[in-house]
Amino acid sequence: MKPPKFMYCDPDSIEEAVALKSRYGHDSLVLAGGQSLMPMLNMRLANPEVLIDINRVTDLQQITRDGDVLEIGAGVRQSVLETDPAVAAAVPLLGLVVPYIGHIENRHRGTVGGSLAHADAAAELPCAAVTLDATIVVQGTAGRREVPARDFFEGFMTNCCAPDELVVAVRFPVTPAASGSAFVEHARRQGDFALASAAAVVSLDAQGNVASAAVGVGGISATPVRATAVQDALVGGPTATEAIAAAAAAIGDSVSAADDMHATGVYRRHLAVTVVKRAITAAVANAAAVERNGS
Amino acid sequence: MTTTENDSKYDSDTRAVTLRVNGREVTRQVPTRQTLADFLRDDLDLVSVHLGCEHGVCGCCTVLLDGSSVRSCLMLAVQAVGHEVETVESLSADQNALHPIQEAFAEEQGLQCGFCTPAMVLRTKEILADGQERSDDEVRNEISGILCRCTGYQNIINAVQNAGRKLRCGGSGTCATGHPGGAVGTAAVAGAETDAVTDVERADGFDGPAGTTKEA
């Protein structure tokens, strides 16, 4: 239960980190918060020739508001997202999602970019990124490119980065003030991986019907799922309990997770519908509260 | 894979690290792959850092890094360079007196085998820093990152709440809740600016393998 031998590199600039990544490619792994990689190193499930520690790259640790975009550096700690008022004001969903990531001891070290790059389908930040139409900024030897979150997650624990690329930031569109956000997760125990989780951002029109809806679901297939069928069923319709339940039922078809040691596929399907229904209901309630308070 | 010329600065398997541990500056030569937990235990003899699972599940190796709780088995020692690490050994400047948090754990029987206790005590120190009272459910949530296999947690929750009362009193008579004060030894916790932990003769006075230890 000790890490294997590796060449330890701790660059202090993005450029040097990228240079190392391009030089060593598949022989290297990037160490950000370490909350997923360190267990794999300790258990010898990962055995990189080179470990590129990006914790000294201060350029990756910035949060900047750029008009209607909130850009969060890949090295920002998850616990910072939880408490940063600028984040809460710009993208309320993030503050709701982050407390579900592991335990606080993990979030004090775990990073935003690390969680996205790790691409765990049950993880909270990937689900939020897909729900919010975030853009993931990736840098390699050829320069920077921006990848929509929906294209970034390619499969089970697989992102679209080339061997010479690393995640440097994630750009979230600022959530319109007149909307409600909510996140619901079901796990066997506080801090465990989600059996199913759902994020929802909803806005209402003057009649109180659904004007727009974004719904994302985690833990039900190889990547986070954007529940387009659910959204389509909601938009333009009422917020009555039956309407939400009918729309939520559409998520069942997106559940591809088979039986595993945590849950059967049938149970996960049932759970997915339930968390989606609850997330939408809570988001609608939050949106209605915003309307009442006239903000 | 061959390393190139410009990476020669990364060639070595060991590094000199300088960090502050329990209020004192420490410099050691460590393997780059050594975890912070092993460094604290093996090099500095701070064996309150308990290794249960060594992959971030049990929380028994929790230490405070710059005041925030982290799992020391999921960090490399080289990553702690320039940081301040606190283990439970720092809590009582006077080694013959318990810290109020430790007293509370003893009074409430918040420990049985003691394996999770150092982590629980440090986490308690961290969460009580806001001076707020907390409900059972709040405490239960806040300590959920550390596993205890003896107590069933209820006595730990009682201990956290009791410690909160002690700390709010500050040993100065009575607090707003009418809780009698007293029985609070050294409520002031050794901060980075004090050199409260200077008992170099103690067994855990960092008299580990060769290295240099500078007094803060």
Side-chain angles (χ1 to χ4, degrees):
Chain A
M1 294 300 282
K2 310 293 177 194
K5 273 185 82 165
F6 42 70
M7 184 171 86
Y8 175 76
C9 308
D10 54 341
D12 58 10
S13 71
I14 298 176
E15 290 67 30
E16 195 192 350
V18 168
L20 288 162
K21 197 81 191 74
S22 72
R23 199 168 309 136
Y24 298 114
H26 288 299
D27 291 326
S28 65
L29 286 173
V30 175
L31 176 64
Q35 302 303 290
S36 301
L37 179 53
M38 283 293 295
M40 284 170 32
L41 289 168
N42 285 355
M43 292 189 277
R44 304 287 172 102
L45 294 172
N47 198 353
E49 297 268 2
V50 176
L51 193 67
I52 304 167
D53 180 351
I54 57 169
N55 282 277
R56 290 179 59 235
V57 185
T58 48
D59 284 353
L60 292 176
Q61 292 161 7
Q62 314 301 319
I63 297 178
T64 47
R65 174 81 181 257
D66 174 16
D68 54 4
V69 173
L70 183 76
E71 181 167 308
I72 300 170
V76 170
R77 307 279 172 207
Q78 291 152 5
S79 58
V80 171
L81 284 202
E82 220 166 333
T83 52
D84 189 306
V87 172
V91 188
L93 181 64
L94 290 176
L96 301 174
V97 160
V98 172
Y100 286 91
I101 305 173
H103 300 283
I104 188 66
E105 296 88 342
N106 305 109
R107 301 193 293 273
H108 280 145
R109 291 294 296 167
T111 63
V112 175
S115 175
L116 294 169
H118 191 55
D120 191 311
E124 290 79 6
L125 282 171
C127 177
V130 166
T131 307
L132 295 163
D133 288 321
T135 306
I136 290 155
V137 186
V138 171
Q139 188 167 331
T141 33
R144 286 196 176 201
R145 63 189 181 107
E146 297 197 355
V147 186
R150 276 196 243 193
D151 303 330
F152 179 81
F153 303 105
E154 289 192 336
F156 179 71
M157 308 288 254
T158 308
N159 65 40
C160 72
C161 291
D164 70 328
E165 289 181 318
L166 42 99
V167 174
V168 292
V170 54
R171 293 169 61 85
F172 289 99
V174 169
T175 307
S179 60
S181 303
F183 182 72
V184 174
E185 173 172 306
H186 186 76
R188 289 284 303 277
R189 192 185 56 155
Q190 168 83 30
D192 275 3
F193 280 106
L195 294 176
S197 62
V201 182
V202 174
S203 67
L204 306 176
D205 62 19
Q207 288 73 46
N209 292 328
V210 178
S212 71
V215 179
V217 189
I220 60 167
S221 95
T223 59
V225 174
R226 184 66 182 266
T228 44
V230 176
Q231 295 169 184
D232 293 345
L234 276 176
V235 173
T239 58
T241 309
E242 307 76 42
I244 292 174
I251 195 62
D253 299 336
S254 305
V255 179
S256 60
D259 295 6
D260 60 29
M261 64 184 284
H262 305 290
T264 61
V266 172
Y267 176 58
R268 265 209 171 82
R269 266 180 90 95
H270 174 84
L271 208 52
V273 173
T274 303
V275 293
V276 166
K277 191 165 57 185
R278 288 179 185 173
I280 295 167
T281 304
V284 165
N286 290 339
V290 168
E291 294 284 321
R292 277 198 306 277
N293 299 330
S295 56
Chain B
M1 183 203 78
T2 53
T3 61
T4 56
E5 194 61 36
N6 38 0
D7 293 342
S8 54
K9 61 178 172 179
Y10 298 131
D11 266 350
S12 175
D13 288 337
T14 65
R15 279 274 181 103
V17 298
T18 299
L19 62 153
R20 289 177 69 81
V21 180
N22 295 342
R24 297 166 57 206
E25 192 171 89
V26 188
T27 299
R28 287 284 192 282
Q29 192 78 16
V30 302
T32 52
R33 63 170 168 150
Q34 185 180 41
T35 64
L36 177 61
D38 283 338
F39 171 69
L40 295 169
R41 286 179 58 83
D42 300 345
D43 293 41
L44 302 186
D45 236 5
L46 295 168
V47 290
S48 74
V49 180
H50 289 163
L51 286 170
C53 71
E54 294 190 74
H55 63 280
V57 173
C58 74
C60 293
C61 68
T62 298
V63 299
L64 299 182
L65 181 80
D66 300 331
S68 296
S69 54
V70 299
R71 303 197 185 301
S72 59
C73 73
L74 298 188
M75 268 186 77
L76 298 168
V78 287
Q79 293 185 296
V81 169
H83 291 281
E84 169 88 26
V85 174
E86 197 179 324
T87 69
V88 86
E89 283 89 346
S90 73
L91 275 193
S92 199
D94 172 3
Q95 289 308 302
N96 296 315
L98 291 175
H99 184 277
I101 295 172
Q102 295 167 315
E103 281 182 356
F105 269 74
E107 288 169 13
E108 303 290 346
Q109 298 187 25
L111 66 147
Q112 286 177 34
C113 84
F115 197 79
C116 72
T117 310
M120 288 288 186
V121 167
L122 284 172
R123 177 75 182 121
T124 302
K125 184 194 171 197
E126 179 186 34
I127 63 182
L128 293 180
D130 64 6
Q132 300 300 308
E133 282 189 59
R134 13 183 60 81
S135 68
D136 282 24
D137 280 351
E138 284 169 329
V139 177
R140 202 174 282 279
N141 185 31
E142 286 170 319
I143 62 168
S144 61
I146 306 164
L147 295 176
C148 171
R149 301 186 70 181
C150 303
T151 64
Y153 301 103
Q154 189 55 50
N155 285 349
I156 296 177
I157 291 162
N158 298 345
V160 173
Q161 291 165 332
N162 179 349
R165 288 192 295 272
K166 286 177 186 284
L167 292 174
R168 281 194 298 278
C169 294
S172 59
T174 57
C175 65
T177 56
H179 171 74
V184 179
T186 49
V189 175
E193 297 314 306
T194 72
D195 58 349
V197 189
T198 53
D199 36 19
V200 190
E201 284 73 37
R202 229 171 66 208
D204 58 358
F206 309 150
D207 297 328
T212 54
T213 304
K214 283 193 304 199
E215 285 301 321

